[in-house]
Amino acid sequence: MSERALYGAIEAGGTKFVCAAGYGPREIPQHFRTVIATTTPEETLAAVVEFFEQVRRVAGPFAGIGVGAFGPLDVDRRSVSWGCILKTPKPGWSGVSLRAPLERFGCPVAVDTDVNAAALAEARLGAGTDVDSLVYVTVGTGIGGGVVLGGRTVRGLLHPEMGHIRVRRHVQDQNFTGLCPFHGDCLEGLASGPAVLARWGGRFESFADSHPALEIIGDYLGQLAATVALVLSPRRIVFGGGVMNGRLLPHIRATAARELAGYLPVAERGGGFERLIVSPGLSDQAGIIGAMLLAGA
Ligand code: ZN
């Protein structure tokens, strides 16, 4: 058993739960990691608890456990449903507590969104170590965004849900109705992975540089970047997730610059759009590292 404080981390996603334990965000032994398929809440959470029980038997008690989860999620510690998944289209998961099964470990538990966790990780250890304000946007099956201001993640009535803002239609994309079950053609309804597949029958990796999807999706994400810059004034906006690749970033930057029309001092004080809008520094590890940071590591 180690004398050093041991922390647990969970990246709770719609298709898999990544669980890890370690002594810091950069000190996660390979044998203290596992991936659990997201099935029913009972089955999934039982496997999560079993993993951490195994770690505890080998390495001793936990000093804290952090959870970064898919939402919507109750992140208000004063609420009776704190740490619970709220009303979700995902069958069986509405009202499920991610926090309650972890109480058996007798340590503080922190719960935040997966994107807030990723934003925290990118701010502290990734693409934002030189700034104190960062937004992390993930573009995949859905679109979500997390916010770190002054070193802390932003929460309020709920948590940021910037994937559901309205965007202006691209001139070459007037007829697609959009896939969001709540809003139809909100940003997520127009620019998520399933929306790309529904329009063009393929994934970004298979598109040539000249494919119209790059400009159209880049335009929508650039509108988000401009809105975020106006509302929150972050010094960095990180775009990650399964749909993102390097070819989209120039389109995102160009649209953001056009939308802002010189109104913000991005060039004078922010180092330009290449420094404002960037790729992740932690690749796909931001979520689990962020959960470790939430735990107090
Ligand atoms: Zn929506």
Side-chain angles (χ1 to χ4, degrees), residues 21-209:
Y23 305 97
R26 300 286 203 192
E27 291 180 83
I28 302 174
Q30 197 53 44
H31 59 284
F32 284 172
R33 277 178 191 265
T34 194
V35 178
I36 295 160
T38 307
T39 56
T40 64
E42 297 74 21
E43 193 175 64
T44 309
L45 294 173
V48 168
V49 166
E50 177 54 26
F51 167 76
F52 286 111
E53 285 287 12
Q54 284 176 15
V55 172
R56 180 161 70 170
R57 283 196 287 274
V58 175
F62 291 97
I65 297 177
V67 183
F70 69 92
L73 183 70
D74 189 339
V75 292
D76 181 357
R77 283 182 179 269
R78 296 163 299 184
S79 164
V80 289
S81 59
W82 168 57
C84 292
I85 304 281
L86 298 174
K87 194 160 177 285
T88 172
K90 193 164 179 53
W93 283 87
S94 294
V96 169
S97 179
L98 302 177
R99 171 184 54 87
L102 302 171
E103 284 177 346
R104 63 193 285 144
F105 295 100
C107 65
V109 174
V111 180
D112 211 327
T113 60
D114 46 6
V115 280
N116 263 350
L120 190 63
E122 286 290 344
R124 294 228 189 124
L125 298 165
T129 52
D130 57 328
V131 296
D132 63 356
S133 53
L134 179 145
V135 171
Y136 178 91
V137 179
T138 182
V139 188
T141 309
I143 297 179
V147 180
V148 169
L149 295 177
R152 300 172 65 92
T153 61
V154 168
R155 316 160 189 201
L157 173 68
L158 186 63
H159 40 72
E161 281 285 358
M162 61 186 75
H164 295 274
I165 66 164
R166 289 277 166 201
V167 287
R168 194 184 303 132
R169 284 300 188 107
H170 191 279
V171 288
Q172 294 173 44
D173 189 38
Q174 296 293 317
N175 299 320
F176 181 61
T177 51
L179 296 184
C180 178
F182 295 92
H183 318 112
D185 62 349
C186 67
L187 176 64
E188 180 172 296
L190 291 173
S192 64
V196 170
L197 191 65
R199 293 228 254 336
W200 294 293
R203 294 164 59 86
F204 264 100
E205 301 88 282
S206 64
F207 298 158
D209 286 345

